[in-house]
Amino acid sequence: MARRSSTNGASRPQPSSDRGAKSDQDRGTKGNQLASFTDHPADTILTTNHGLPINDDQNSLKAGERGPSLLEDFHLREKITHFDHERIPERVVHARGSGAHGVFRVYKSLSSLTKAGFLTDPARETPVFVRFSTVAGSRGSTDLARDVRGFAVKFYTDEGNFDLVGNNMPVFFIQDAIKFPDLIHAVKPEPDNEIPQAASAHDTFWDFISVMPESMHMVMWLMSDRAIPRSYRMMEGFGVHTFRLVNARGTSRFVKFHWKPLLGVHSVVWDEAQKISGKDPDFHRRDLWEAIAEGKFPEWELGLQVVEEKDEFAFGFDLLDPTKLIPEELVPVQRVGRLTLNRNPDNFFAETEQAAFHIGHVVPGIDFSNDPLLQGRLFSYTDTQLLRLGGPNFHEIPINRAIAPVHNNQRDGLMRQTIVAGKVSYGPNSLGNNEPAQASASAGGFVTFAEPVEGAKVRQRGASFFDHYSQARMFFQSQSDPEQQHLVKALRFELGKVKNLDVRERMVLHLAQIDRDLAKSVAKALGLTVPAKAAQPPNRSVPADGSAKDHQHHQLADPAIVSEALSMRAQVPGPITTRKVAVLIADGFDAVGVAALSKALAAQGAAAFLVGPHVGPVLGDAGKAVAAPFSILTTSSVLFDAVVVADGARAADWAKEADAVEFVRDAYRHCKALAATGAGIKLLEAADIPADGKDGNRPADAAVAVGERMSRGVIEKFVTALGNHRLWSREPGLHLPI
Ligand code: HDD
């Protein structure tokens, strides 16, 4: 098999030829004469990094069979030196991630809003690279941590790269970038013992939050199920900040960017998330990889909320405040284009790990607002790459290269790849025809929107920034009952893990400002009570001289809004495409029934996976064996969306297996669709799952389908339940009394 070692990477848009210098590696492995050394083709022969074919890669060079190794062994030294330097610093935040290539296309020209070429030409397909991530954990941490997810998109446009570096939540913890290092120090593992990994449920995080009221809205999102997505493919994305769109006439409007997944917005439950973290910490990474490998390409629509310049002050909150969102009920999201992820990276390190996103990578037609969080980010991203990727030439790494031509007078530096001919590396010049030449606006030159700016130099924020609770309340009150329950349980869990009593008490005071019932429910599980008139909780995020005192706990002028768009449950569940169903089979299983079920699932893009008592051949009732890819030991129902127990000669044996009982019990507890036929029903009974028609004392469960045979009725009921994602009404019985 031919080995690919191109620095241009077949795996990403090709850069313009004038900058694509060939590497030593390419030159070294392409020589024809190598073919004569072995039976292998020339480009498969093992060489040093300098192209020398290696004769023995099994033994180091020694002075005699039993003698010491020799310093002369250049191959040993090169190999081990390279190995010693294989690691680069992981990202200080968002270290754990997964990437994919794809394309973006706008539905129709948005030229009235922006002059950005990729948003004005529906015929143009723009290549993209997307990296999803968690924030707090290290590179090897679990995918299912309760955390914000990064959603970073690099558009390789004809006018340069545009990076939309967003999250799966539309607001942020802090209002000003100056607090970012504090936030991250608080949430990362505690510095004395580096515990806990990838978790916010510890004292330093909640200590910080409990004296930072501006975090309350984001904390509601973090405690909601949005923080434990079912899949990267089933998350919304948000640019968070207010940006500007500028059209060819120079008219500017404010804009919030959204990504709306076509598979719906779905999450797992917390107990499930914790179990997935043990059973398959790569769950989201695997899910994304497999969907793309199978050709079931994840898709999102790009959404815009556009606000006219004249309406800048039309809201009770400030558009520059990243702890506030614009309710979709006030400004609808227009869906303007589609993102499709259609290709897995060839090499994780070269592409996903070395991808360098920067919120400052914009193209003509897109501009910034004065959001103080955004402004600070404009500094941070290039700065961090200098350390992480080792110097100023990280833009030359294939995954980061623009497809637009790059010409400038920047030269040299560590690991420079581009070979620029000629003497002139300055401008203006006369020796080089004054090139590279500046581009006029009409020739595509980026011109910053000429926003008038005036004011005293101050370290202050606008008054409405000090309303910390209104939108937190709006978020909580917009959730459906099960979503509120999950949020309450998450707070009980997280604060229950906090050892410091003062921190717990302060948090209850904050919750009381958001919603009294919420505070009471959480307090109860912490052994606390909410005072009849809850005191104002502390706010340490004010300057030492108290100049911001007047603004503390300011209340929004807007009437209370309940925003359906904030509830995942209020949204269309989406198709069952790519949903995974575990089918438990034992020897003598109902082969025709399982085939009918698999066919029905496949017809809607979902897939059945056979789980046997062991991996490998399991006999069907007609004597034909099928290979089970999973056994009850190698997998778990938390890794599937739904579970079926098939009838068969040995199906009743499942009921005696503790692992099988756990399998279906978890599926039921996590509100998933279940089906069982014939003797398979015994397993549901062993797990105390109400199987309708079998136990007259219990009401039928809308997401448990049972029958003697795998009838059309059983399959239809099961598939409908799968389409509803989860049957949350099962849950109340599982809760502590509130
Ligand atoms: Fe950030 C990475 C998103 C605030 C500093 N950030 C990073 C990534 C995402 C975000 C998705 C990972 C990119 C990738 O996959 O490589 N960050 C956000 C959002 C924010 C935000 C949506 C608020 C709205 N970030 C933020 C602030 C600062 C940073 C206020 C610093 C002042 N972020 C960084 C960083 C990182 C980063 C240190 C780490 C690795 C990197 O940039 O390339 O520069």
Side-chain angles (χ1 to χ4, degrees):
M1 202 183 75
R3 293 161 66 88
R4 235 182 304 150
S5 60
S6 160
T7 51
N8 284 344
S11 54
R12 54 145 318 213
Q14 294 295 311
S16 56
S17 56
D18 58 328
R19 295 172 307 101
K22 277 213 165 212
S23 73
D24 287 349
Q25 227 165 353
D26 274 341
R27 284 192 291 261
T29 54
K30 296 280 157 29
N32 263 348
Q33 70 273 30
L34 292 185
S36 59
F37 291 152
T38 73
D39 295 339
H40 295 275
D43 61 357
T44 66
I45 286 172
L46 182 73
T47 73
T48 64
N49 279 334
H50 302 278
L52 176 73
I54 300 296
N55 169 258
D56 184 343
D57 188 43
Q58 318 305 322
N59 301 290
S60 56
L61 188 67
K62 299 182 204 74
E65 262 177 28
R66 302 183 58 248
S69 298
L70 298 178
L71 192 59
E72 180 187 326
D73 191 346
F74 56 85
H75 171 48
L76 170 87
R77 280 188 285 115
E78 182 196 90
K79 185 174 176 182
I80 291 189
T81 300
H82 197 278
F83 170 75
D84 290 344
H85 294 251
E86 275 175 9
R87 292 289 169 273
I88 60 171
E90 65 175 33
R91 288 167 175 83
V92 58
V93 282
H94 297 266
R96 168 84 184 165
S98 289
H101 296 270
V103 293
F104 173 81
R105 194 193 285 259
V106 72
Y107 292 144
K108 57 180 194 198
S109 173
L110 300 176
S111 59
S112 61
L113 295 175
T114 176
K115 60 185 167 188
F118 80 105
L119 291 175
T120 54
D121 181 4
R124 203 177 302 184
E125 202 174 65
T126 301
V128 300
F129 184 75
V130 177
R131 183 173 177 274
F132 301 108
S133 47
T134 53
V135 178
S138 290
R139 219 186 117 181
S141 58
T142 173
D143 282 345
L144 264 287
R146 174 175 293 283
D147 201 351
V148 184
R149 297 300 183 288
F151 193 136
V153 183
K154 189 181 286 293
F155 298 82
Y156 302 93
T157 89
D158 298 340
E159 297 161 301
N161 289 353
F162 167 51
D163 291 354
L164 186 52
V165 195
N167 281 339
N168 74 330
M169 300 177 188
V171 287
F172 202 65
F173 296 94
I174 49 171
Q175 295 170 330
D176 191 313
I178 200 165
K179 299 310 298 167
F180 192 69
D182 300 285
L183 166 73
I184 301 306
H185 288 172
V187 72
K188 282 272 181 182
E190 297 183 6
D192 50 355
N193 55 14
E194 220 194 20
I195 298 175
Q197 179 56 246
S200 52
H202 61 109
D203 280 48
T204 56
F205 176 71
W206 286 103
D207 178 31
F208 178 76
I209 296 299
S210 72
V211 287
M212 281 291 282
E214 70 196 54
S215 301
M216 290 309 144
H217 185 192
M218 181 63 164
V219 161
M220 290 292 103
W221 284 83
L222 187 68
M223 293 299 109
S224 80
D225 292 344
R226 302 267 183 163
I228 39 172
R230 158 65 182 83
S231 158
Y232 287 140
R233 303 173 294 121
M234 299 169 198
M235 302 187 313
E236 286 184 296
F238 303 90
V240 181
H241 311 286
T242 301
F243 288 82
R244 287 176 179 278
L245 290 180
V246 184
N247 68 17
R249 288 205 304 279
T251 310
S252 162
R253 294 175 177 86
F254 296 105
V255 66
K256 293 268 195 193
F257 292 108
H258 296 246
W259 292 111
K260 300 279 190 187
L262 296 192
L263 291 176
V265 192
H266 298 291
S267 289
V268 298
V269 292
W270 182 228
D271 177 69
E272 188 185 4
Q274 293 178 86
K275 288 173 177 161
I276 295 172
S277 290
K279 302 274 183 185
D280 185 7
D282 303 307
F283 185 71
H284 284 154
R285 176 175 287 185
R286 193 185 310 283
D287 167 275
L288 180 67
W289 181 275
E290 286 180 352
I292 294 174
E294 285 162 17
K296 294 183 172 149
F297 300 143
E299 291 190 304
W300 288 259
E301 286 186 304
L302 178 68
L304 305 180
Q305 279 179 300
V306 179
V307 176
E308 297 292 332
E309 187 92 22
K310 68 174 171 46
D311 294 332
E312 181 174 2
F313 302 107
F315 307 93
F317 53 88
D318 198 323
L319 291 179
L320 304 185
D321 177 354
T323 65
K324 310 291 190 311
L325 55 82
I326 310 179
E328 292 187 25
E329 287 72 10
L330 295 185
V331 179
V333 176
Q334 312 169 29
R335 298 179 181 227
V336 299
R338 183 173 295 200
L339 165 72
T340 307
L341 297 183
N342 57 16
R343 187 158 53 87
N344 280 317
D346 288 319
N347 183 281
F348 182 89
F349 181 85
E351 300 174 84
T352 310
E353 191 59 14
Q354 294 200 110
F357 294 87
H358 176 26
I359 191 167
H361 292 160
V362 289
V363 291
I366 298 178
D367 212 325
F368 313 112
S369 73
N370 295 333
D371 172 343
L373 192 70
L374 183 162
Q375 294 282 322
R377 292 179 75 191
L378 287 172
F379 166 71
S380 187
Y381 288 73
T382 302
D383 186 45
T384 205
Q385 312 309 345
L386 295 176
L387 175 69
R388 198 170 71 79
L389 299 171
N393 289 316
F394 58 85
H395 61 283
E396 296 186 325
I397 297 172
I399 194 68
N400 296 325
R401 284 189 202 168
I403 54 169
V406 174
H407 303 290
N408 60 43
N409 290 317
Q410 294 169 32
R411 290 288 183 275
D412 308 346
L414 212 64
M415 301 295 166
R416 183 68 171 178
Q417 317 262 315
T418 311
I419 301 170
V420 190
K423 287 181 194 302
V424 178
S425 56
Y426 52 87
N429 66 65
S430 70
L431 298 183
N433 198 26
N434 209 17
E435 290 166 351
Q438 299 171 140
S440 63
S442 58
F446 182 86
V447 182
T448 292
F449 175 69
E451 177 189 359
V453 179
E454 197 187 338
K457 286 193 205 169
V458 289
R459 291 184 183 271
Q460 276 174 22
R461 305 175 197 188
S464 70
F465 277 53
F466 292 87
D467 173 5
H468 305 307
Y469 302 112
S470 301
Q471 287 214 347
R473 184 176 310 120
M474 172 180 75
F475 179 79
F476 180 70
Q477 294 180 355
S478 301
Q479 303 302 301
S480 63
D481 284 350
E483 288 168 311
Q484 287 193 346
Q485 297 283 329
H486 296 170
L487 200 152
V488 166
K489 280 185 84 176
L491 280 162
R492 289 172 166 189
F493 175 92
E494 296 263 324
L495 296 173
K497 292 255 192 175
V498 168
K499 297 191 188 75
N500 185 292
L501 198 59
D502 293 344
V503 172
R504 288 184 187 169
E505 283 176 348
R506 278 201 297 273
M507 276 314 301
V508 169
L509 294 183
H510 283 299
L511 297 177
Q513 303 289 321
I514 296 170
D515 184 292
R516 255 195 103 72
D517 288 340
L518 164 69
K520 276 197 211 158
S521 305
V522 175
K524 181 158 190 161
L526 301 175
L528 298 172
T529 50
V530 185
K533 192 169 174 353
Q536 287 277 318
N539 177 5
R540 297 249 169 100
S541 67
V542 290
D545 66 5
S547 58
K549 261 189 193 127
D550 293 347
H551 301 315
Q552 280 193 57
H553 309 305
H554 171 105
Q555 194 72 20
L556 283 185
D558 282 347
I561 292 176
V562 169
S563 170
E564 278 220 326
L566 302 179
S567 160
M568 290 193 283
R569 210 171 162 230
Q571 302 188 29
V572 182
I576 63 168
T577 319
T578 71
R579 292 306 186 115
K580 295 171 83 172
V581 176
V583 183
L584 268 55
I585 54 164
D587 279 344
F589 74 91
D590 168 19
V592 172
V594 169
L597 172 80
S598 304
K599 199 170 154 203
L601 289 170
Q604 297 192 39
F609 295 86
L610 301 179
V611 180
H614 50 78
V615 292
V618 180
L619 281 179
D621 50 2
K624 197 172 157 223
V626 294
F630 298 107
S631 83
I632 200 77
L633 288 182
T634 63
T635 193
S636 160
S637 72
V638 295
L639 306 178
F640 295 91
D641 293 291
V643 174
V644 176
V645 192
D647 185 23
R650 304 290 302 274
D653 292 356
W654 283 124
K656 295 179 228 153
E657 283 288 340
D659 290 325
V661 174
E662 199 63 27
F663 201 96
V664 291
R665 186 174 281 153
D666 263 351
Y668 182 76
R669 176 176 178 191
H670 301 145
C671 303
K672 293 175 182 175
L674 285 135
T677 52
I681 297 172
K682 290 208 174 333
L683 178 59
L684 302 195
E685 288 167 353
D688 210 24
I689 294 171
D692 60 347
K694 287 279 150 187
D695 181 346
N697 297 326
R698 282 181 293 201
D701 181 301
V704 179
V706 291
E708 275 317 306
R709 312 284 312 155
M710 192 74 78
S711 63
R712 191 187 294 177
V714 168
I715 293 177
E716 271 174 11
K717 181 174 178 184
F718 175 73
V719 171
T720 305
L722 176 61
N724 290 331
H725 183 59
R726 302 288 165 101
L727 183 69
W728 297 123
S729 59
R730 273 189 205 148
E731 276 190 328
L734 299 171
H735 280 280
L736 300 173
I738 295 179

